[in-house]
Structures are given as structure tokens and as C-alpha cells.
């Protein structure tokens, strides 16, 4: 049996050993995932140049060594688009963006699965009359989360907890 290949693009570095094995278990047998990362091939010094400034949209991601880093969306988007185009050029028809951050439109020669609009619209559909809890990876992301989620549910509670650190931090935030 030939396996089907899907692409997976992270805003950090590949491989995403924390995500892709779980994704494969959901997708089932016969599926192969080809990974690419917007920060692949860059040193920590190179990546430091992408640090967010005061007005930047903040993203938090994982590096190949397991550490996490904050980067500005404005620096990541062009590299992300390049990685997505590269996977589509390999004739991969479905590419999943492994980030729930907000990004400008990205065209491609296939299906680009963008989790943020899916997550937002599903949550909006089921949240009327409910209190919404939002966990962001870093405290400086809370203002952008407030702007994104303010129209969903009757009340929003925002907290920060990194998915790349101590699992007890996430448990406490929840």
C-alpha cells in the first residue's frame, strides 16, 4: 500500500517530535508527514533577530533542541510562506500549519489547513452563553488574545502557560 503524504509546517524548527507523532496516530496508517519549519537552518543568534518589539504580534514556538522562543509574526510570515510553497512544489496536496496564531492570507497550489480560523469559528459556534477560557503560551500574548476572542462567549478569561515547559504550569492555568 502506498502512503499518502501531507505537509506540516511549524513556525519554529522541525522536526516537531512533540506534535507530529500524535498527529500521525490520529491520521492513522498509510499517512506520511513531511515537515518543514520557518526557522529551520537558523542559529539561535539568527533567530534572536526575529524577537518581537513592543507593537509586534507575538508568537511562541519550539526549536529543534526542545527550547522555546518568542518571535514576531512579521519576521516569520515570509519564511512560513516559503516553506509552504516548497511543500506544494513537492506535489504535496495538503499542508497543515502547526500554529494557532493569526497570519495574513497564504495562497498555495493545494489545501492549506489553518487551525486558527477553524478553532475560532468552531468555538464561536459552541460558546454562546458560555465563559471562555483562553490559554496563551506567554503573558505578552494576552492582549492579542483578548482582541481575538472578545466577541466569543459571554465572558473571556485569559491566562498564560507555556506548552513547552512544565506540564504542571498548564494544569494550573487550566
Amino acid at each position: 500500500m502506498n502512503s499518502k503524504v501531507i505537509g506540516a509546517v511549524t513556525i519554529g524548527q522541525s522536526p516537531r517530535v512533540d506534535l507530529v507523532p500524535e498527529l500521525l496516530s490520529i491520521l492513522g496508517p498509510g499517512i506520511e508527514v513531511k515537515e518543514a519549519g520557518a526557522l529551520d537552518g537558523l542559529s539561535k543568534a539568527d533567530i534572536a533577530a526575529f524577537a518581537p518589539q513592543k507593537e509586534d504580534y507575538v508568537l511562541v514556538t519550539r526549536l529543534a533542541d526542545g527550547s522555546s522562543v518568542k518571535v514576531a509574526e512579521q519576521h516569520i510570515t515570509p519564511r512560513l510562506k516559503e516553506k509552504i510553497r516548497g511543500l506544494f512544489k513537492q506535489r504535496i496536496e495538503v499542508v497543515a500549519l502547526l500554529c494557532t496564531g493569526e497570519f495574513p492570507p497564504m495562497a498555495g497550489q493545494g489545501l492549506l489547513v489553518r487551525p486558527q480560523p477553524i478553532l475560532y469559528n468552531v468555538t464561536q459556534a459552541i460558546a454562546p452563553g458560555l465563559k471562555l477560557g483562553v490559554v496563551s503560551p506567554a503573558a505578552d500574548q494576552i492582549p492579542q488574545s483578548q482582541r481575538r476572542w472578545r466577541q466569543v462567549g459571554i465572558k473571556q478569561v485569559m491566562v498564560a502557560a507555556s506548552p513547552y515547559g512544565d506540564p504542571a504550569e498548564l494544569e494550573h492555568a487550566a
Side-chain angles (χ1 to χ4, degrees):
M1 167 172 145
N2 289 338
S3 65
K4 298 212 180 249
V5 180
I6 67 165
V9 178
T10 178
I11 64 170
Q13 292 178 327
S14 64
R16 285 300 300 264
V17 297
D18 60 323
L19 291 176
V20 173
E22 189 171 335
L23 180 62
L24 283 168
S25 73
I26 294 166
L27 295 172
I31 304 292
E32 178 187 337
V33 174
K34 172 90 175 180
E35 294 182 65
L39 300 178
D40 285 354
L42 299 180
S43 69
K44 285 200 177 197
D46 295 333
I47 295 166
F50 298 158
Q53 302 304 309
K54 187 172 172 65
E55 298 300 317
D56 283 331
Y57 183 88
V58 179
L59 298 167
V60 178
T61 191
R62 185 178 188 278
L63 300 180
D65 67 4
S67 64
S68 64
V69 66
K70 289 182 189 177
V71 292
E73 174 271 329
Q74 67 170 323
H75 299 302
I76 293 303
T77 296
R79 298 183 64 82
L80 200 55
K81 288 179 178 180
E82 176 187 321
K83 296 298 179 173
I84 291 166
R85 273 193 306 271
L87 290 170
F88 284 136
K89 282 182 182 176
Q90 295 176 48
R91 299 186 182 209
I92 295 173
E93 296 176 0
V94 178
V95 174
L97 175 56
L98 302 179
C99 180
T100 57
E102 293 181 278
F103 295 94
M106 296 184 209
Q109 271 103 16
L111 173 63
L112 177 61
V113 179
R114 297 170 53 124
Q116 199 288 322
I118 296 167
L119 178 63
Y120 181 87
N121 288 303
V122 167
T123 304
Q124 189 175 45
I126 62 174
L130 300 176
K131 182 192 290 188
L132 180 67
V134 178
V135 180
S136 296
D140 52 355
Q141 290 180 300
I142 289 178
Q144 62 200 41
S145 290
Q146 289 171 326
R147 285 189 296 277
R148 180 186 311 163
W149 294 104
R150 69 178 165 230
Q151 303 298 321
V152 179
I154 58 169
K155 182 179 179 183
Q156 304 79 28
V157 177
M158 309 285 170
V159 296
S162 174
Y164 308 117
D166 182 0
E169 183 186 356
L170 282 173
E171 238 178 82
H172 177 72

